[in-house]
Every structure is written in C-alpha cells, then in structure tokens.
Amino acid sequence: MSELNYLLYRMFRGDEVSKLDNLVKGYRGEQDFAQIVQQFLPPNSLYMQDFVFEMPGYVQIDGLLITPTEIHLYEIKNYDAHCSIQNNRLYYNEHHLQHNPMIQLMRATDSFNNILIKEQIPITVHPHLVLIHPYGTFETDGSSGIAVLTRHQLRQHFQQIGQRANSKWIINPNKLAQILANYRIADWHDYHTDLPLDLTKLKRGIYCLHCGSYRIHVSKHNLRCEHCKSQTPKIEALKYLIHECSTLTSCEILRPDILFDLSEDTFNRTWVYKILSETLPKHHRGQYHKPTANPYLPIMLDLYDGLRKN
C-alpha cells in the first residue's frame, strides 16, 4: 500500500491527486473482505492478500484462498452502485466499464495455472469477482464464465468451500503457500514516476494527526494542536515525519535534510540525528536506510475521513 501512503501524505500537505479516493475505497474493500474471510475461513485452509507475481507478465491478485482440494482467486471491487453483466460485459450504473475486471481475472487465472502446471500440482483454480460494498446490487444475464459474489453471499460461499475441503487432500495448503512464495514478487510499479511530485510545492510544517491543522505549539516533550487541543508526544511526531519523508522521496536512502526542510526545523537537529541513529540502520554518514513498513496507515485513514467531512 505504498502508493496509498504516498497519496495520503500528499493530500495532508496540500497536493491532492484525484486517484486517492478510489485507492482508499479499494483498500477498504479488500480489508473488509479479509475480515469476512477470517470469520468464515474453512478448516485446513489458508488466505493470502495481495499476491503479486510474474508468469510471464505482471499479475496482481487481491485475495487467494488455498484449501486442500482447490484454490480460489478473488478480484475485489468496492462499488457503491448497481452492477450488471450483459453479453459478458460488466456495467456500472448502466455504464460499460472499459477496464473489465473479469478480463483481468481471467488473465490472472491463466497465469496462476501456469505456476501449477510448472510445479505439477493438479488442483483446480476457481476465479471470483467479489462486489463487497454493502449497498451495491448486482444482476446478470448468465453470459459470464466468472462467478460473481455479492457481500451477502460470502458466508454461504465459504461454507460450501469448507464442505468440499473434507474430501481427499490434493496438497497441504501450507506446502503450497511455500511453493507460491518462490514466485511472489514486490510490486515494482514506481508511483513516484507515475505520479510525480514537486517537493517544493508541499506545505511546510508539522500537522496535527487528529484534525490536519498546522497550528502546532511545540513544548519540551509534546506537540499541542491549537485547533483541536490534542497532544502528541514529540518522539511520535518525529517518527511519523520520518515515515512521511521516506515515502514522499523516491531514492532508497533517507537524508535528514528533507526532514528539516519539510518540518521547517521544528525539531532540534542534534536530537533528530540521535533518533535517526537509534531508529534506522545507517547507510553512510548522515544517510539512513528507510523503514520498510508504515504503522501509521490507520491513523492516516482516520485523518483522511475527517478532512473529507470538512
């Protein structure tokens, strides 16, 4: 979800990209589906999110469910709309979708089957298009070979899978997951290139993680928002800034200059260098390896919601 983090940080600093809303909606749909899967997960099965591989071209699968007897691929769409299939075409509120997710899913299924053929694993793959939004509706003329599941059908869907999983095992799901791990790759799309950013146009300063205000009072240990009166420990604000600058810049190495510039030297430089040395592996003098994970996405999404309401 690096691209989502990247666009959220840009929004908070006054440089919003129109793609952001769709990314947030898609991410929340995938997380919603994952929670439902965990609630009704069939016995002896395993669920994987965001499986990316090349076989031979780039393929991304939102969800992958492995049971001892079959595999299910899920393309998840969080459409708050009436969707329909007519003549094997998907319509969104009666408008034909040019980028048909069913075609994408068929290609992903073919590519995934290539892995199974190569590994000589005789297991059936079932592709599904999931319309996860609670208020979305769907109808079909039966022309598509891809199964479409709405939210209210998921419980029964997983129960049926569980019943079939009691049949004779073809493969241990954990063993298959280990095999698939050899094919899994990182998403190589460069969002810095696809959605270029002029760092000089970003708003400077430190913003409140509760309301987005830049009216921040800095004390010895805390940052206090003059707008909503919330307080954030100074160390947490700096760690957030480190993740923010790491995401906004394209190079693999983090240079402290960007922290000083973007925050307008809110923090004492000696203290910043101390925290960087304690937090991140050092690359060279004054340069650090970037953190590999961002723990702030839930906070960022809450801030996104709050700013959207205002």
Side-chain angles (χ1 to χ4, degrees):
M1 283 292 108
S2 296
E3 184 179 14
L4 176 57
N5 293 323
Y6 173 67
L7 295 186
L8 284 169
Y9 284 133
R10 288 179 60 167
M11 174 191 175
F12 301 155
R13 292 196 175 270
D15 184 33
E16 187 169 343
V17 178
S18 59
K19 185 180 180 182
L20 174 59
D21 289 343
N22 286 336
L23 273 181
V24 171
K25 183 181 290 186
Y27 171 78
R28 284 180 161 158
E30 291 174 20
Q31 295 303 110
D32 195 11
F33 180 75
Q35 290 180 358
I36 293 174
V37 172
Q38 294 305 320
Q39 184 178 358
F40 301 111
L41 189 68
N44 302 313
S45 62
L46 185 149
Y47 182 68
M48 304 169 66
Q49 279 186 268
D50 197 28
F51 184 77
V52 181
F53 64 100
E54 288 183 308
M55 182 59 77
Y58 174 91
V59 181
Q60 188 265 336
I61 298 171
D62 291 337
L64 173 63
L65 179 64
I66 305 171
T67 80
T69 58
E70 55 196 19
I71 296 173
H72 297 263
L73 309 184
Y74 301 97
E75 175 71 16
I76 302 158
K77 295 300 179 185
N78 196 14
Y79 295 151
D80 182 9
H82 176 71
C83 295
S84 61
I85 293 177
Q86 303 172 31
N87 297 321
N88 205 29
R89 291 185 175 185
L90 184 63
Y91 289 81
Y92 178 99
N93 285 341
E94 299 183 358
H95 296 285
H96 176 227
L97 289 176
Q98 296 298 323
H99 299 286
N100 192 334
M102 293 189 298
I103 294 177
Q104 177 183 341
L105 188 53
M106 290 173 64
R107 290 172 179 167
T109 303
D110 290 341
S111 296
F112 195 86
N113 273 320
N114 288 337
I115 294 178
L116 300 178
I117 292 170
K118 183 177 178 180
E119 296 291 338
Q120 299 182 341
I121 301 173
I123 194 168
T124 304
V125 178
H126 302 279
H128 308 274
L129 175 64
V130 179
L131 303 177
I132 192 65
H133 198 282
Y135 301 119
T137 56
F138 173 71
E139 62 178 328
T140 178
D141 62 4
S143 57
S144 173
I146 299 291
V148 179
L149 297 167
T150 57
R151 184 188 187 92
H152 75 272
Q153 294 174 313
L154 292 177
R155 179 174 182 174
Q156 183 181 13
H157 168 70
F158 291 121
Q159 287 175 342
Q160 291 173 344
I161 292 175
Q163 292 171 359
R164 294 195 296 272
N166 294 325
S167 304
K168 184 179 179 180
W169 283 31
I170 296 175
I171 191 170
N172 185 306
N174 291 313
K175 180 179 179 181
L176 179 53
Q178 292 174 359
I179 294 172
L180 294 177
N182 296 324
Y183 292 89
R184 195 168 196 169
I185 63 171
D187 189 342
W188 46 256
H189 286 104
D190 185 358
Y191 49 86
H192 292 102
T193 301
D194 297 339
L195 301 164
L197 167 65
D198 184 351
L199 286 168
T200 64
K201 294 183 178 180
L202 296 183
K203 192 171 182 179
R204 263 53 183 171
I206 298 293
Y207 53 85
C208 173
L209 298 181
H210 299 277
C211 71
S213 172
Y214 280 78
R215 294 167 52 205
I216 300 295
H217 173 74
V218 182
S219 62
K220 184 177 181 180
H221 298 292
N222 297 300
L223 275 65
R224 182 168 60 86
C225 176
E226 299 291 346
H227 177 72
C228 71
K229 310 305 179 185
S230 64
Q231 292 196 71
T232 302
K234 189 185 290 187
I235 181 68
E236 289 303 319
L238 176 57
K239 288 181 178 180
Y240 176 87
L241 180 66
I242 290 170
H243 281 273
E244 182 179 24
C245 293
S246 298
T247 302
L248 289 173
T249 53
S250 59
C251 56
E252 296 182 4
I253 301 302
L254 177 65
R255 293 175 171 82
D257 287 351
I258 180 64
L259 277 76
F260 304 139
D261 175 39
L262 206 59
S263 67
E264 292 188 320
D265 270 324
T266 297
F267 306 111
N268 175 276
R269 291 196 174 201
T270 301
W271 180 69
V272 170
Y273 278 112
K274 177 178 180 293
I275 299 303
L276 283 170
S277 298
E278 294 173 353
T279 306
L280 300 177
K282 187 175 289 186
H283 178 65
H284 288 303
R285 183 177 176 83
Q287 299 179 2
Y288 301 86
H289 292 283
K290 291 182 175 180
T292 56
N294 188 341
Y296 298 104
L297 184 55
I299 296 174
M300 295 162 66
L301 289 172
D302 286 343
L303 179 55
Y304 164 88
D305 290 336
L307 293 174
R308 277 287 181 262
K309 292 177 182 177
N310 296 333

